Each structure stands twice: as C-alpha cells, then as structure tokens.
Amino acid sequence: MMKNRILTFLKQLKRNNSREWLAEHKAEYNAVMEERNELTQRLIDAIASIEPEAAAMSVNQCVYRLMRDTRFSEDKTPYKTHIGIFICPPLGKKSLLSGYYLHLEPGASALYGGNYELPTPYLTAIRNDIRDNIDEYLAIVESAEFKEFFPEVGSNLLKTAPKGFDRDWQYIDYLRPREFGVMMPLPDAFFNRPDFIERLLPALAQIKRLNDFINFALTESGLPLMRPSR
C-alpha cells in the first residue's frame, strides 16, 4: 500500500534530512521513486479518461526532483519532504496553464486544481474572462457538483478590487484571488485503498471544468504559456 512506502519514507526523511541518511537508504529511495512513477502513470491514465490530451504525457513531464534548490533559502536541508505530481496537458509541468496536482505529504496530502503563482498579466486575463463571462463562471464554481469537492475557489485575496476593475460590481469578490486554485485535503488513510485513484475521478472531473475556463482565457490572451527557464 502506498502509505506503507511513500508516506512512511517521507516521514523518515523529514526526521533525517541529510545526504548521508539518503545514501544509506538508497535502495528504499529507489523503490519509493519507482512507486511514485507508477502512481503518476495511473493518475495520467485516469485524467486521460476525462481529458484525452493527457494520454500523451510522460511521467517525467509530471514529476519533480526530491532535491531542494537551497541557493536562495535560509533552510539548507537538501531534500523536500513531500512528493508532487503535476499533470498539465499538453505542455507539462513548466506550463503556465491550469492542471491537476497531487501533493503527497504525511498529514498534509491534497488534490489541487486551477492555477497558482501567475504573473499579473495572466491574472488580468483570467479576471477579464470571469467578468465578461460571469454566468458561465458561476455555473461552474457555484454548482452543487463542484462545491461537493471544492467549497471555495481562490486564495491569497486582494483586500480590494484589482486595479482596472469596478469595485462596485456585484461579483467583484470573484476577481480578488491572486491564486485561482482549488484544494481538497486527503487524509493519509485515503491512500490505503487500492482504488484511491479511481475515487479521485469525480473531483478531477470538477477540476477540469475550472481548468477549461481558465485555460481558455490564458490561451486567448496571447501570453506565453511556458514558464521561462532558470
């Protein structure tokens, strides 16, 4: 079961976050990475059942290194203590489009959708599209099917209306997020079930509704859709 391999390993890594410890547990690390890759492929296949473009994604396009970039951080521990899987068809994990993100961390696992950490011009494109198509947007985010999994959309809210938008508009609160994303917490026990990927499908289908709306706005904006290389 995944909990007995990935989550247990991450707990141990959090207590022993050093290159020396990982070198001593190389075989266990390799087994966890293999299981992560298998899980990623299962998630790709599940998403492909609702978004066919995902079928062309490779595992490497969807996973991240465990090694942390500590160059500009006061925290010099070498490894992340979580595993992230980001499936964002068709461009992959460096895309600025919305996708599907599974976060694996003991006591803090979750399923995410939508978009995070976008530059201001991209947020403006999304806000313009929400304003111009508010009925379509409300039909997604206020529907019972969507709210069953994601009661709220957006985080890191502006204190007032975004620049260039009418603060007296009745739906202005829908434009205030700096992050147009959604999140569903997943308890550790959720991963004990062999069918946990299949059990995510209804939530993934609701994420797709939001992603489609956001990605249309971003694609039509003419802005670059890939994050610049660092």
Side-chain angles (χ1 to χ4, degrees):
M1 289 184 293
M2 198 200 78
K3 181 182 178 184
N4 293 340
R5 182 67 62 85
I6 296 179
L7 295 184
T8 298
F9 174 80
L10 291 173
K11 285 181 180 178
Q12 295 169 346
L13 179 61
K14 189 172 183 177
R15 292 194 297 266
N16 306 276
N17 198 330
S18 70
R19 291 178 176 83
E20 293 76 15
W21 183 87
L22 195 67
E24 293 171 1
H25 295 80
K26 189 70 172 180
E28 185 178 354
Y29 165 80
N30 289 337
V32 165
M33 291 299 101
E34 183 177 346
E35 190 158 339
R36 178 206 64 179
N37 292 346
E38 293 173 357
L39 169 59
T40 302
Q41 187 60 58
R42 286 179 60 198
L43 191 57
I44 290 171
D45 294 342
I47 292 170
S49 71
I50 58 173
E51 187 162 348
E53 279 190 309
M57 305 292 294
S58 69
V59 168
N60 286 339
Q61 287 179 292
C62 305
V63 296
Y64 300 91
R65 295 190 312 160
L66 198 65
M67 180 74 72
R68 294 180 62 247
D69 183 352
T70 61
R71 290 174 298 172
F72 309 106
S73 174
E74 293 183 6
D75 179 3
K76 298 301 181 182
T77 52
Y79 304 111
K80 302 169 188 172
T81 54
H82 67 270
I83 284 175
I85 301 169
F86 182 46
I87 298 174
C88 188
L91 300 177
K93 62 190 175 187
K94 294 184 179 181
S95 172
L96 286 157
L97 294 173
S98 295
Y100 312 81
Y101 177 73
L102 181 62
H103 182 87
L104 301 172
E105 182 177 2
S109 297
L111 177 68
Y112 292 82
N115 223 315
Y116 295 82
E117 299 182 355
L118 286 178
T120 298
Y122 296 79
L123 294 175
T124 299
I126 295 169
R127 289 169 177 149
N128 281 333
D129 210 45
I130 293 173
R131 179 195 59 197
D132 296 343
N133 301 280
I134 186 61
D135 290 341
E136 179 184 348
Y137 187 70
L138 292 177
I140 298 169
V141 302
E142 294 296 339
S143 68
E145 299 88 351
F146 192 90
K147 281 185 167 293
E148 178 183 355
F149 302 103
F150 308 109
E152 295 184 5
V153 177
S155 58
N156 192 13
L157 305 182
L158 294 169
K159 293 182 179 179
T160 184
K163 186 177 180 180
F165 294 87
D166 180 4
R167 67 178 61 197
D168 296 323
W169 185 48
Q170 63 176 317
Y171 299 113
I172 194 63
D173 285 350
Y174 290 93
L175 307 184
R176 290 174 56 213
R178 294 185 181 94
E179 320 279 359
F180 284 92
V182 292
M183 185 269 282
M184 182 176 72
L186 299 172
D188 289 359
F190 178 82
F191 300 101
N192 290 341
R193 300 182 60 107
D195 63 342
F196 73 87
I197 291 289
E198 291 73 19
R199 290 171 62 84
L200 289 175
L201 267 173
L204 293 169
Q206 297 305 315
I207 288 175
K208 182 180 185 300
R209 298 174 68 197
L210 178 65
N211 285 353
D212 286 350
F213 186 96
I214 293 175
N215 288 343
F216 181 83
L218 295 179
T219 302
E220 291 295 303
S221 72
L223 294 164
L225 298 179
M226 296 293 289
R227 296 185 186 276
S229 299
R230 289 192 288 177

